Amino acid sequence: MTSYDARTALDAIHHHQEQTRDAYVRHGSSLPYSLVTALAVFGFGAAVDLPNPWRTLTLLAAGGLMTGMLYVHQRRAPVYRKPSRAQWAFSLWLGGVVTLILVAAVVCARLLELPEPSVIAGAVAAVATLVAGYAARPIVKAITRRDDQG
């Protein structure tokens, strides 16, 4: 094997690794999964204002929707990759930010004495979920690239 052949093989390996990372990030932040996640976040947020039997049903439906989405997301993944600690930490941080937005929206809606403040806050948190998912894509890609090189 010549040095040219070795360099060509190494370049091909790097190219395939980049394609794998792109497929992983693209699947993780695809629109259908983001919409289902936003709908589940809306359900969790809106359930607070509902009377008791409907609250329980809404929470169960939102939890089932999220569980089903995660199952389908894993089963249809074109690339399987174990998330790193940095990815877990970033995901938890992002979830915390969305939760903080939900709580802040509930407080603001109650201060403004809006009707059904948790429904409004749930809608705000759902939109924040969509925005966060879109904005986080380059960060997740950078974390994935760094994890693969380190």
Side-chain angles (χ1 to χ4, degrees):
M1 174 183 269
T2 66
S3 63
Y4 176 76
D5 293 337
R7 172 57 37 199
T8 304
L10 190 58
D11 288 343
I13 289 170
H14 290 308
H15 178 71
H16 289 301
Q17 285 176 337
E18 187 66 28
Q19 286 179 326
T20 301
R21 277 193 293 271
D22 288 344
Y24 178 78
V25 172
R26 187 173 39 255
H27 178 71
S29 62
S30 65
L31 185 61
Y33 300 118
S34 296
L35 289 174
V36 172
T37 302
L39 184 62
V41 167
F42 174 73
F44 285 126
V48 175
D49 283 339
L50 297 174
N52 196 13
W54 295 109
R55 177 184 309 147
T56 303
L57 287 174
T58 304
L59 288 173
L60 286 173
L65 188 66
M66 189 64 108
T67 303
M69 186 274 305
L70 289 171
Y71 177 77
V72 170
H73 184 268
Q74 284 298 103
R75 297 290 294 169
R76 291 189 177 175
V79 176
Y80 294 102
R81 183 177 185 280
K82 184 179 177 184
S84 67
R85 288 183 183 176
Q87 284 178 301
W88 278 113
F90 181 69
S91 296
L92 289 173
W93 179 82
L94 204 57
V97 168
V98 170
T99 303
L100 189 64
I101 290 171
L102 175 66
V103 170
V106 167
V107 169
C108 289
R110 290 192 191 279
L111 287 175
L112 294 173
E113 298 177 0
L114 297 174
E116 307 298 333
S118 293
V119 173
I120 295 167
V124 169
V127 170
T129 300
L130 290 172
V131 170
Y134 179 75
R137 190 173 182 172
I139 297 169
V140 171
K141 189 171 183 176
I143 290 171
T144 305
R145 180 177 289 122
R146 188 198 70 197
D147 290 342
D148 286 347
Q149 290 174 354

